[in-house]
Amino acid sequence: MASSSFRLYFAICFAMMASAMADITALVGEWKVAEIYDTLNDLEPRELPTSTGGPFVFKLTPKGNDEDTLILATRIGNSMRTSINVLNDDAATGNSNIKVGLVIGTKMMPAPDLYELETFLSEALPKMDTMTVSADGQEMVMTGTSKIVLEAVETTDV
């Protein structure tokens, strides 16, 4: 009797863990930066650099065999990258709780407007705690102390 109770308890725990595990497939791909808000309360987005570069694309790829971690790579003026650990997700709402690592990158001196954007991203990305993908899969919003709105990139867009 105790053995079957233990098996039932184990099966229930496993099922609960599996349902809470993240499915990163909706997040993988290329996402163009559409809008950036310095804080969640800002009504107007910050102006994106226009002098050089753009569109600015976040490329999200799985980290090897790690089913819960993505690598975010981008090029603003310099190449930048970080890891995103997807802690759990809710398929019904499209929300994923995340933990973003520190941003690393090359340190060449880009144009001032690109440098400003790189500095913002280096500070803001590690403070992000949620990613939400729209039902149609065409928009992703990253939030934390600020907000980044991304649009899915079609292969012909780049």
Side-chain angles (χ1 to χ4, degrees):
M1 182 71 173
S3 177
S4 63
S5 295
F6 177 75
R7 279 190 224 137
L8 178 61
Y9 174 76
F10 180 76
I12 291 171
C13 288
F14 182 77
M16 289 173 61
M17 285 176 34
S19 68
M21 291 176 68
D23 177 15
I24 63 172
T25 55
L27 307 174
V28 172
E30 294 187 357
W31 300 87
K32 178 174 60 173
V33 176
E35 297 176 341
I36 293 179
Y37 297 84
D38 291 332
T39 70
L40 291 177
N41 297 324
D42 286 350
L43 299 177
E44 295 292 322
R46 94 178 2 231
E47 194 170 317
L48 293 173
T50 57
S51 65
T52 56
F56 304 106
V57 176
F58 288 3
K59 184 175 182 180
L60 297 175
T61 56
K63 181 181 179 186
N65 293 330
D66 188 339
E67 297 175 359
D68 298 329
T69 304
L70 296 164
I71 299 298
L72 182 155
T74 190
R75 180 166 180 80
I76 306 300
N78 289 290
S79 295
M80 303 171 71
R81 60 188 277 139
T82 188
S83 62
I84 300 174
N85 184 258
V86 181
L87 305 174
N88 59 50
D89 64 357
D90 181 346
T93 63
N95 291 341
S96 297
N97 293 323
I98 60 172
K99 179 165 177 48
V100 181
L102 296 176
V103 177
I104 61 171
T106 55
K107 294 293 180 189
M108 304 300 286
M109 194 63 190
D113 56 346
L114 297 177
Y115 178 75
E116 184 181 326
L117 179 56
E118 287 181 352
T119 301
F120 172 81
L121 292 173
S122 293
E123 294 171 0
L125 283 170
K127 296 175 184 171
M128 297 290 172
D129 55 21
T130 305
M131 292 172 82
T132 305
V133 177
S134 63
D136 65 2
Q138 295 302 300
E139 182 179 85
M140 178 191 306
V141 178
M142 299 176 73
T143 57
T145 57
S146 57
K147 179 169 82 170
I148 301 174
V149 179
L150 305 156
E151 297 172 347
V153 174
E154 300 296 324
T155 54
T156 57
D157 287 351
V158 178

